[in-house]
Amino acid sequence: MLTLPDKRLALQAYEQILEFIMNGTLKPGELLNERRLADVMNVSRTPVRDALLMLEGEGILLRLDSRRLQVKQIQIEDYLDALQIRLLLEPSVARHAAGRVPADRLADLRAKVETLRAKGHVSSDERHLVREIDDSLHGLLCEATGNPQLTAIIVSLRRRTLMFDLRSVPERLESTCDEHLAILDAVARGEGEKAAEEMTAHIAAVRSSIINRLHRR
């Protein structure tokens, strides 16, 4: 077993379980087995238990009773509610970040987005790249606010809406990249209102694509 401090182990377990949920290893509705997760991650049950409590607190897991936790099946209403809050918060974050993010970090992220867009398609094994770039962009803007509480709120909301990410709408890859590039360019130029406008358009486009996909089912 690993011998890292309990808090660090819990955070590592949290990230790994979250990744299992995001990549489909743990599916919506699936019951979680604390002992099995501990064995898979080669840690004791204590950090796994702490990680599960954190995920429950974020609304990603659902408690059925004192012993059983389930991967929450996100309902479209939950998704739309979370997106509505993101629409209220993230344009303001983008506005504030304009002109405040180091140019080298923006350029590095822009290059990654352009590389991803040039691919035009990602396999199931590459989907984590899409999420990593998406997390990097939104995280970079949040970091520029210097407000860790706001950042934590947005991270939590994004994790809920990522259940409906590009795995559900793969045709959105190029559009998402274009929207990200527009946000990055506005931030790089220090154009706060334009950055807010592009962020609003991006989140609204994600919302529309999911609604359209559900209507086609």
Side-chain angles (χ1 to χ4, degrees):
M1 295 290 180
L2 297 174
T3 57
L4 296 171
D6 287 346
K7 184 175 181 180
R8 185 176 170 191
L9 275 175
L11 290 173
Q12 286 191 351
Y14 167 91
E15 291 295 341
Q16 193 162 358
I17 295 169
L18 181 64
E19 180 60 29
F20 287 157
I21 294 170
M22 293 300 184
N23 67 23
T25 300
L26 293 173
K27 303 183 184 307
E30 185 169 345
L31 292 174
L32 300 179
N33 185 300
E34 189 178 290
R35 183 183 297 278
R36 186 177 303 132
L37 286 170
D39 289 343
V40 168
M41 294 184 286
N42 194 32
V43 295
S44 69
R45 293 176 66 176
T46 299
V48 172
R49 187 178 303 118
D50 291 342
L52 294 178
L53 287 173
M54 286 189 278
L55 290 164
E56 179 188 1
E58 290 187 353
I60 295 172
L61 300 181
L62 177 67
R63 182 167 295 279
L64 301 180
D65 52 41
S66 61
R67 292 180 175 272
R68 295 185 300 161
L69 277 171
Q70 180 185 58
V71 179
K72 186 174 181 181
Q73 297 191 28
I74 304 297
Q75 303 298 317
I76 186 61
E77 292 80 11
D78 297 328
Y79 168 78
L80 293 177
D81 286 348
L83 265 191
Q84 182 61 37
I85 301 172
R86 287 183 59 191
L87 273 170
L88 293 173
L89 295 178
E90 292 198 64
S92 294
V93 168
R95 181 184 296 109
H96 183 87
R100 291 182 169 89
V101 181
D104 59 335
R105 298 185 68 184
L106 287 171
D108 179 64
L109 185 53
R110 194 182 205 290
K112 291 178 180 178
V113 176
E114 289 176 335
T115 298
L116 181 63
R117 192 191 188 289
K119 288 176 68 69
H121 172 76
V122 291
S123 66
S124 58
D125 293 335
E126 296 174 313
R127 285 174 184 156
H128 70 282
L129 298 174
V130 178
R131 186 162 68 85
E132 287 170 6
I133 290 174
D134 198 54
D135 285 346
S136 294
L137 183 143
H138 291 271
L140 191 60
L141 301 186
C142 284
E143 184 182 323
T145 69
N147 188 328
Q149 292 189 52
L150 176 60
T151 298
I153 291 169
I154 291 175
V155 166
S156 177
L157 289 167
R158 281 177 41 72
R159 281 173 176 163
R160 297 184 194 191
T161 55
L162 278 172
M163 301 299 183
F164 288 84
D165 66 5
L166 289 170
R167 288 174 293 175
S168 301
V169 280
E171 68 273 12
R172 280 269 308 150
L173 177 61
E174 290 188 9
S175 296
T176 296
C177 289
D178 288 342
E179 292 156 15
H180 282 173
L181 291 172
I183 294 168
L184 288 171
D185 287 346
V187 170
R189 293 192 300 266
E191 298 175 356
E193 290 306 319
K194 182 64 173 176
E197 178 185 318
E198 295 294 355
M199 180 63 78
T200 298
H202 168 54
I203 297 175
V206 173
R207 180 182 186 278
S208 295
S209 67
I210 292 294
I211 292 175
N212 290 338
R213 169 61 68 94
L214 291 172
H215 286 168
R216 293 198 297 268
R217 290 180 178 176

